[in-house]
Amino acid sequence: MFENDDASPLPRGGAERFRFYPLGDRAIVIECSESGGAADWSAMAQLANHVEANRERWMIDIVPAYTNVTIVYDPVLLWREESETDASGWSMPLTGNVPYELAEQRLLDVINRERSGRTESVRVVEIPVCYGGEDGPDLAEAAAYAGLTEVELCRRHAEADYQVAMIGFMPGFPYLIGLPESIAQPRKAVPRLRVEAGAVGIAGGQTGVYPLASPGGWQLIGRTPIKLFDAERGEPSLLRSGDAVRFVPVEKPPIGDEQVVAVPNDGESGGRQLRATAAGASDDEAGFRVRKPGLHTTIQDMGRAGYRSIGLPAGGAMDSYALRVANLLVGNEEAAAALELTLVGPELAAQDDMLIAVCGAYMAPTIDGEELPMWRPVWVRSGAVLRFGSALSGCRAYIAVAGGIGVPAVMGSRSTYTRAALGGLGGRLLAAGDVVPCGAAGAAAASRWAAAWMAALAARPGSWAAAPWFAQPLAYGGGSDEHGIWLRAMPGSEFGQFSQAARTAFYRERYRVAPDSDRMGCRLDGSPLTRTTHAELLSHGVTAGAVQVPPGGGPIVLAADCQTTGGYPKIAHVAGVDLPLLAQAKPGDTIRFRHVSLEEAQRLELARERELRRLALAMRCRLP
C-alpha cells in the first residue's frame, strides 16, 4: 500500500517521467515513459490526483488507468482561453498553436506545479462477501482450476490486500490488484448474458465487483450486498482509484441492512467512516403526453462531465449539432435537454401551447396530419398531435421545446443513461402514457426571443404555425454521397500494430453499419482488420469516436454511451466534428473513412463552432 503524500513531488523525477500523445482530437494521454506495467498504477493515481487538484476549466474529465491518465478536454474552450475577442464576440487566436499543443503545454505546467502541503491517508474499505453457493456459481470451477479446495480459495481471496488501480467498464466497477497468483483465473470462454449486481469475480490477475447487472465474463466466486454505485449518494461511487480494499467473508445479511466502513490505513484520524446503505409527472402537467413511444425515445442533453473517473460515461445527445441547433431555434441554452428519437419516432399530444423545433433525421413528422417543417421554430397549440414515422434519411431526430424539459438533473445532467437507470424519466426509454414535462426547466424558462415568436405565431389560424425561415443544417453538408457516409478519421494509438494491408484497407473499405449498433458503439461489417501483434493491452481511457478492433477484426466506432475504459486496440479515431454524421448512420448504411490529421480535425471543429456562433447571432436578429 502507498501513502498519498501531497507534500512530495511526483515520483521518479516529475514531468520528465511522462510522455504525451493524443487520443483523438478531444483527449490527451499522459503515460509513464519508462513503463513498468501494472506496477505503475500508484504513480498514475498520484498524477491523476495532482491534476484533479489543479483542474482547469478546459479539462472535462480525468481518467486514471494502470499506466496512463487520460485528460478529456474542450478544444474550443482551450483555444478561446488563448485568444482575444473581436468585435463580433468571436475569439481570434493569439498563437498559431492548435488546441492539442496548448493542452500539452498546460499539462506540463500543471505537472511541474508545486503540490500542496496537505497529506491524505489512503482509505481502507471493507466489503462483506458471501462466498459460494448461488452467490458464487463459478467457485467450484475456479477452485478446480487452481488445484485448491473451495474453502482454501475463498480464504486466500479474502486474506489478500487489494487496491483500486482504476475504475471503468461501468459506473463504479473497480479493477483491484493484489490477487494472489495461486488463484488467478482465465475469463469464461462464453461470457454470461447477465451478471447480478454485487457479484465478486476474478479475471486474470485481477478481482473486482460488478456494481450493476450486466453481461460479463469474469469467474464469479461470491457476492456482496453493498451498492458500489448509487447516483443518490453524495459520492456516487463507493470506491476511488487508490483506495485499499479488504473482503470480509460473511453469511448473507438481510437486504437493506448492510453497510460498509472505510477507515484510513494509518489508524490516526479518529476512525473516519464511510457508509453505504442499500436502497429500498402528473397527468395535467404541461408538456407532451406520450401516445406511442417510438422505437428508442429518450431525454438527452449535452451529457455529464466529471464522472468518467468513476466509470460513468459522458452520454448525452448522439448528434450534439442537431440538439444545439434545435435549442437555439426555441431560445434555449444550447445544452438544454430535448427528446432524442431513434429510427422510428413517437406520437405525442401537446398538453399546452409551446414553441418547438425538430432537427436531425427526417422521420416524416406531422402535426394533426399536416407536414411539420423542420429546422425552424414551430408554435403548437394545446391538443395538437405530433406523429413521427420511420427515418427516411438519417437515424436520430431531436425535439426541443422552449424552456427545456423539466426532469430532475442527476449528477449534473438530465440525459438518460439506461444501463445505470439514471437521468431522464426514471432512467428509461419513454413509454406510452408518460407525460414529458416541458416549459420552465429550472432556470431555462422560455426566453423573451422565444416568447415574441410564440406570440406572433399564435396569432395565426390553426393548431400550429411555423416561422418563414429555417436554419441550414451545415454539419451534414458533404458528409455523404452515392458512396455512403464519409467520416474523417486520424490514425489511432495502435495504428502501427495493424498490418500494412489492414491500414490501407481501413481507408478504402466500404463498411456496412450492423444491426446491433447502438448508443455505445457503431459496429461495422466488412473485411476483418489483421493485427500483427497479439499482445494484450492494459485497459485504458477511451472516448467517443475511437475505432476499436476486437480479436475478430470487425471495427467498432465508440459512441456517446461508450465505456470509459477499454482494452481493444484503436486503429483510428473519428474527428469530433464528424460525430454528428456517425449519429445519423443507421443499420444498413455504408460508411467510409477519409484520413485527416489531428491539426486539421481540430481546425475543422473550431470552424464548426464559429458557424454555430454566427447562426446564433443571426437567429437573435430574426424577430417577428
Side-chain angles (χ1 to χ4, degrees), residues 378-403:
V378 179
W379 173 77
V380 179
R381 189 184 298 278
S382 177
V385 177
L386 283 66
R387 293 182 176 88
F388 295 80
S390 299
L392 300 179
S393 64
C395 181
R396 294 175 173 87
Y398 295 82
I399 308 174
V401 182

Side-chain angles (χ1 to χ4, degrees), residues 499-518:
S499 68
Q500 180 60 53
R503 299 198 298 266
T504 301
F506 177 76
Y507 286 106
R508 291 183 178 176
E509 181 82 14
R510 295 186 181 185
Y511 292 101
R512 189 75 63 180
V513 178
D516 54 351
S517 298
D518 57 17

Side-chain angles (χ1 to χ4, degrees), residues 1-2 11-12 17-18 32 34-46 65-68 163-165 177-178 205-206 538:
M1 299 184 214
F2 76 94
R12 295 203 311 225
R17 186 193 171 189
F18 305 105
C32 292
E34 299 175 359
S35 177
D40 285 320
W41 75 270
S42 60
M44 292 297 98
Q46 291 183 63
Y66 286 108
T67 60
N68 58 43
Q163 288 190 293
V164 182
I177 60 173
Q206 307 167 115
L538 290 172

Side-chain angles (χ1 to χ4, degrees), residues 184-196:
Q185 301 283 322
R187 286 174 170 80
K188 299 192 76 65
V190 180
R192 283 184 171 84
L193 295 178
R194 181 179 174 88
V195 175
E196 296 299 330

Side-chain angles (χ1 to χ4, degrees), residues 62-419:
I62 301 167
V63 187
Y66 286 108
T67 60
N68 58 43
V69 175
T70 300
I71 312 295
V72 182
Y73 65 93
D74 183 338
V76 174
L77 179 57
L78 179 56
W79 186 74
R80 297 193 73 172
E81 285 186 355
E82 296 283 338
S83 308
E84 61 183 7
T85 304
D86 63 18
S88 70
W90 182 251
S91 295
M92 305 301 292
L94 294 177
T95 72
N97 292 350
V98 294
Y100 174 79
E101 293 168 344
L102 298 172
E104 190 171 295
Q105 292 170 9
R106 293 278 200 96
L107 281 170
L108 279 170
D109 292 342
V110 167
I111 291 174
N112 287 321
R113 197 168 296 166
E114 286 294 325
R115 310 184 83 191
S116 70
R118 180 176 59 86
T119 300
E120 181 178 326
S121 298
V122 173
R123 302 186 312 167
V124 178
V125 182
E126 294 185 348
I127 298 180
V129 180
C130 307
Y131 286 102
E134 63 180 10
D135 293 315
D138 299 325
L139 179 58
E141 179 183 341
Y145 180 85
L148 301 170
T149 65
E150 295 179 25
V151 171
E152 179 62 15
L153 186 144
C154 294
R155 184 187 68 78
R156 295 188 187 189
H157 184 268
E159 288 183 351
D161 290 327
Y162 301 98
Q163 288 190 293
V164 182
M166 57 181 285
I167 295 177
F169 173 55
M170 69 175 68
F173 187 98
Y175 289 82
L176 303 175
I177 60 173
L179 185 78
E181 289 185 13
S182 60
I183 60 173
Q185 301 283 322
R187 286 174 170 80
K188 299 192 76 65
V190 180
R192 283 184 171 84
L193 295 178
R194 181 179 174 88
V195 175
E196 296 299 330
V200 177
I202 299 174
Q206 307 167 115
T207 190
V209 184
Y210 286 79
L212 307 169
S214 76
W218 291 36
Q219 302 289 351
L220 307 182
I221 62 170
R223 190 176 179 191
T224 178
I226 296 300
K227 273 193 173 183
L228 267 72
F229 179 84
D230 185 349
E232 300 299 319
R233 287 199 297 251
E235 190 172 349
S237 177
L238 178 68
L239 299 173
R240 312 171 191 158
S241 178
D243 281 349
V245 174
R246 294 172 183 155
F247 291 114
V248 180
V250 295
E251 298 295 325
K252 183 173 290 188
I255 297 299
D257 193 38
E258 64 275 11
Q259 66 181 28
V260 64
V261 177
V263 298
N265 67 359
D266 59 2
E268 295 179 356
S269 64
R272 181 184 59 188
Q273 292 186 341
L274 174 70
R275 296 180 180 270
T277 304
S282 67
D283 289 351
D284 59 355
E285 191 168 11
F288 286 123
R289 172 173 287 282
V290 180
R291 291 186 171 184
K292 297 179 181 178
L295 181 63
H296 193 285
T297 306
T298 59
I299 296 169
Q300 301 292 341
D301 56 21
M302 289 293 285
R304 293 176 174 82
Y307 294 103
R308 282 182 174 94
S309 63
I310 60 170
L312 182 64
M318 283 282 287
D319 184 346
S320 60
Y321 178 85
L323 173 83
R324 294 173 69 184
V325 174
N327 276 317
L328 287 173
L329 287 165
V330 295
N332 291 345
E333 294 292 328
E334 294 177 29
L339 294 181
E340 180 180 87
L341 288 48
T342 304
L343 288 174
V344 179
E347 181 177 314
L348 308 169
Q351 298 200 154
D352 195 11
D353 295 355
M354 58 183 71
L355 187 71
I356 70 168
V358 179
C359 297
Y362 181 67
M363 297 183 176
T366 62
I367 306 180
D368 289 344
E370 300 179 305
E371 184 178 359
L372 188 164
M374 295 179 60
W375 299 93
R376 69 188 73 200
V378 179
W379 173 77
V380 179
R381 189 184 298 278
S382 177
V385 177
L386 283 66
R387 293 182 176 88
F388 295 80
S390 299
L392 300 179
S393 64
C395 181
R396 294 175 173 87
Y398 295 82
I399 308 174
V401 182
I405 294 179
V407 294
V410 178
M411 298 175 70
S413 171
R414 294 180 169 86
S415 281
T416 307
Y417 180 50
T418 58
R419 284 176 171 79

